[in-house]
mmCIF file of all heavy atoms in Angstrom:
data_model
loop_
_atom_site.group_PDB
_atom_site.id
_atom_site.type_symbol
_atom_site.label_atom_id
_atom_site.label_comp_id
_atom_site.label_asym_id
_atom_site.label_seq_id
_atom_site.Cartn_x
_atom_site.Cartn_y
_atom_site.Cartn_z
ATOM 1 N N GLY A 485 23.160 1.046 15.623
ATOM 2 C CA GLY A 485 23.791 2.260 16.126
ATOM 3 C C GLY A 485 25.151 1.985 16.738
ATOM 4 O O GLY A 485 26.104 2.771 16.570
ATOM 5 N N LYS A 486 25.275 0.863 17.435
ATOM 6 C CA LYS A 486 26.573 0.485 18.023
ATOM 7 C C LYS A 486 27.585 0.175 16.924
ATOM 8 O O LYS A 486 28.763 0.551 17.014
ATOM 9 C CB LYS A 486 26.382 -0.717 18.929
ATOM 10 C CG LYS A 486 27.637 -1.108 19.716
ATOM 11 C CD LYS A 486 27.379 -2.312 20.590
ATOM 12 C CE LYS A 486 26.347 -2.001 21.672
ATOM 13 N NZ LYS A 486 26.172 -3.154 22.604
ATOM 14 N N LEU A 487 27.111 -0.499 15.861
ATOM 15 C CA LEU A 487 28.001 -0.774 14.732
ATOM 16 C C LEU A 487 28.507 0.520 14.111
ATOM 17 O O LEU A 487 29.706 0.677 13.839
ATOM 18 C CB LEU A 487 27.264 -1.593 13.672
ATOM 19 C CG LEU A 487 26.983 -3.066 13.936
ATOM 20 C CD1 LEU A 487 26.364 -3.704 12.702
ATOM 21 C CD2 LEU A 487 28.257 -3.793 14.305
ATOM 22 N N GLU A 488 27.590 1.447 13.878
ATOM 23 C CA GLU A 488 27.980 2.688 13.216
ATOM 24 C C GLU A 488 28.922 3.507 14.095
ATOM 25 O O GLU A 488 29.781 4.222 13.587
ATOM 26 C CB GLU A 488 26.740 3.497 12.846
ATOM 27 C CG GLU A 488 27.031 4.651 11.900
ATOM 28 C CD GLU A 488 25.843 5.011 11.030
ATOM 29 O OE1 GLU A 488 24.712 5.033 11.551
ATOM 30 O OE2 GLU A 488 26.024 5.266 9.827
ATOM 31 N N ALA A 489 28.756 3.398 15.395
ATOM 32 C CA ALA A 489 29.616 4.151 16.311
ATOM 33 C C ALA A 489 31.031 3.590 16.377
ATOM 34 O O ALA A 489 31.989 4.327 16.634
ATOM 35 C CB ALA A 489 28.993 4.171 17.702
ATOM 36 N N THR A 490 31.178 2.282 16.151
ATOM 37 C CA THR A 490 32.492 1.646 16.297
ATOM 38 C C THR A 490 33.203 1.399 14.974
ATOM 39 O O THR A 490 34.412 1.139 14.961
ATOM 40 C CB THR A 490 32.356 0.301 17.037
ATOM 41 O OG1 THR A 490 31.456 -0.549 16.311
ATOM 42 C CG2 THR A 490 31.824 0.521 18.447
ATOM 43 N N MET A 491 32.480 1.455 13.865
ATOM 44 C CA MET A 491 33.082 1.221 12.564
ATOM 45 C C MET A 491 33.478 2.540 11.914
ATOM 46 O O MET A 491 32.902 3.591 12.217
ATOM 47 C CB MET A 491 32.101 0.481 11.653
ATOM 48 C CG MET A 491 31.763 -0.935 12.119
ATOM 49 S SD MET A 491 33.186 -2.036 12.110
ATOM 50 C CE MET A 491 33.470 -2.200 10.340
ATOM 51 N N PRO A 492 34.474 2.528 11.020
ATOM 52 C CA PRO A 492 34.843 3.755 10.307
ATOM 53 C C PRO A 492 33.669 4.312 9.516
ATOM 54 O O PRO A 492 32.795 3.566 9.066
ATOM 55 C CB PRO A 492 35.962 3.279 9.371
ATOM 56 C CG PRO A 492 36.486 2.020 9.976
ATOM 57 C CD PRO A 492 35.315 1.381 10.654
ATOM 58 N N THR A 493 33.643 5.610 9.345
ATOM 59 C CA THR A 493 32.568 6.245 8.577
ATOM 60 C C THR A 493 32.522 5.687 7.160
ATOM 61 O O THR A 493 33.545 5.632 6.471
ATOM 62 C CB THR A 493 32.770 7.763 8.527
ATOM 63 O OG1 THR A 493 32.797 8.268 9.860
ATOM 64 C CG2 THR A 493 31.648 8.441 7.750
ATOM 65 N N GLY A 494 31.346 5.258 6.746
ATOM 66 C CA GLY A 494 31.181 4.726 5.392
ATOM 67 C C GLY A 494 31.676 3.309 5.221
ATOM 68 O O GLY A 494 31.826 2.845 4.078
ATOM 69 N N ALA A 495 31.899 2.590 6.312
ATOM 70 C CA ALA A 495 32.376 1.212 6.217
ATOM 71 C C ALA A 495 31.352 0.337 5.505
ATOM 72 O O ALA A 495 30.145 0.544 5.623
ATOM 73 C CB ALA A 495 32.662 0.656 7.615
ATOM 74 N N ALA A 496 31.854 -0.666 4.764
ATOM 75 C CA ALA A 496 31.000 -1.587 4.022
ATOM 76 C C ALA A 496 30.823 -2.880 4.809
ATOM 77 O O ALA A 496 31.800 -3.460 5.287
ATOM 78 C CB ALA A 496 31.598 -1.883 2.656
ATOM 79 N N ILE A 497 29.571 -3.335 4.930
ATOM 80 C CA ILE A 497 29.230 -4.517 5.715
ATOM 81 C C ILE A 497 28.650 -5.583 4.784
ATOM 82 O O ILE A 497 27.702 -5.323 4.036
ATOM 83 C CB ILE A 497 28.195 -4.183 6.809
ATOM 84 C CG1 ILE A 497 28.630 -2.954 7.619
ATOM 85 C CG2 ILE A 497 27.979 -5.386 7.710
ATOM 86 C CD1 ILE A 497 29.921 -3.108 8.363
ATOM 87 N N TYR A 498 29.212 -6.769 4.867
ATOM 88 C CA TYR A 498 28.726 -7.925 4.099
ATOM 89 C C TYR A 498 27.702 -8.666 4.942
ATOM 90 O O TYR A 498 27.944 -8.962 6.113
ATOM 91 C CB TYR A 498 29.912 -8.830 3.756
ATOM 92 C CG TYR A 498 29.572 -10.121 3.060
ATOM 93 C CD1 TYR A 498 28.906 -10.130 1.837
ATOM 94 C CD2 TYR A 498 29.949 -11.348 3.612
ATOM 95 C CE1 TYR A 498 28.613 -11.321 1.187
ATOM 96 C CE2 TYR A 498 29.671 -12.551 2.966
ATOM 97 C CZ TYR A 498 28.997 -12.529 1.756
ATOM 98 O OH TYR A 498 28.716 -13.712 1.115
ATOM 99 N N GLN A 499 26.558 -8.994 4.333
ATOM 100 C CA GLN A 499 25.456 -9.600 5.085
ATOM 101 C C GLN A 499 25.160 -11.027 4.618
ATOM 102 O O GLN A 499 25.145 -11.313 3.422
ATOM 103 C CB GLN A 499 24.183 -8.742 4.943
ATOM 104 C CG GLN A 499 24.300 -7.379 5.632
ATOM 105 C CD GLN A 499 23.132 -6.476 5.307
ATOM 106 O OE1 GLN A 499 23.093 -5.833 4.263
ATOM 107 N NE2 GLN A 499 22.160 -6.431 6.200
#
Side-chain angles (χ1 to χ4, degrees):
K486 186 180 295 185
L487 286 185
E488 192 152 42
T490 58
M491 295 296 291
T493 301
I497 310 298
Y498 175 59
Q499 292 171 278

